[in-house]
Amino acid sequence: MSDGTKAATFEVKRWQTYVPCKTEYLRGESRSKPFVVDVVEGDRVKVWDPTGGQRMGGHRWIALRNLHETGTTKTGKERRTGFRLHCQPPVDPVRQELCGSCFTWAARDQLAISARGFGHSTCIPCMADIEINS
């Protein structure tokens, strides 16, 4: 940067949510599902998928290099591999829940359905979309 300051470096943190960079979602491909970061350990990250299916709540390790701040490269091209940051960790983990539809952390008063376990709740905007599309 010209003013002598450094740009903030991207940091992978616990409870961040990530979604696939590729535009097409392959049904049933567990490695292409959104996930939540559980542990950052060196050059690898332990993640879990709270959305269900065969790997419900299951953990897996992925390479840290596969996580990106945005869905575009430095040259502006759309990424076709890896995962992009979708949502930062909750501000207040005690009073926020993860919406299982949009993978965004929401305050409990912003939930249409509050359920036990991360990723089982549904936020008000997602519930409205569900009702419209039903």
Side-chain angles (χ1 to χ4, degrees):
M1 300 184 88
S2 60
D3 64 359
T5 60
K6 287 180 82 175
T9 46
F10 173 58
E11 181 182 359
V12 175
K13 300 182 233 173
R14 186 171 195 218
W15 302 117
Q16 285 175 327
T17 60
Y18 286 82
V19 294
C21 288
K22 64 183 177 181
T23 54
E24 66 277 353
Y25 175 77
L26 301 177
R27 175 169 264 152
E29 187 181 325
S30 63
R31 304 248 179 236
S32 292
K33 287 183 170 184
F35 56 77
V36 178
V37 172
D38 189 27
V39 176
V40 179
E41 188 177 283
D43 63 348
R44 61 190 194 141
V45 180
K46 187 176 183 182
V47 302
W48 58 275
D49 167 24
T51 61
Q54 292 178 328
R55 302 181 75 83
M56 174 123 180
H59 288 82
R60 70 178 193 268
W61 289 93
I62 63 171
L64 181 64
R65 71 178 180 275
N66 291 328
L67 303 183
H68 310 287
E69 187 172 17
T70 68
T72 56
T73 64
K74 289 179 184 176
T75 61
K77 291 185 179 182
E78 188 174 328
R79 292 184 189 277
R80 295 184 298 163
T81 61
F83 299 86
R84 66 175 174 80
L85 178 65
H86 174 69
C87 185
Q88 288 291 351
V91 175
D92 185 353
V94 175
R95 294 195 168 96
Q96 290 184 302
E97 291 288 334
L98 181 67
C99 174
S101 297
C102 67
F103 267 74
T104 301
W105 293 97
R108 290 194 178 152
D109 64 352
Q110 293 298 308
L111 297 174
I113 300 172
S114 182
R116 280 196 173 169
F118 293 127
H120 298 284
S121 298
T122 304
C123 68
I124 292 170
C126 286
M127 189 59 152
D129 286 343
I130 291 167
E131 290 171 351
I132 288 170
N133 294 319
S134 295

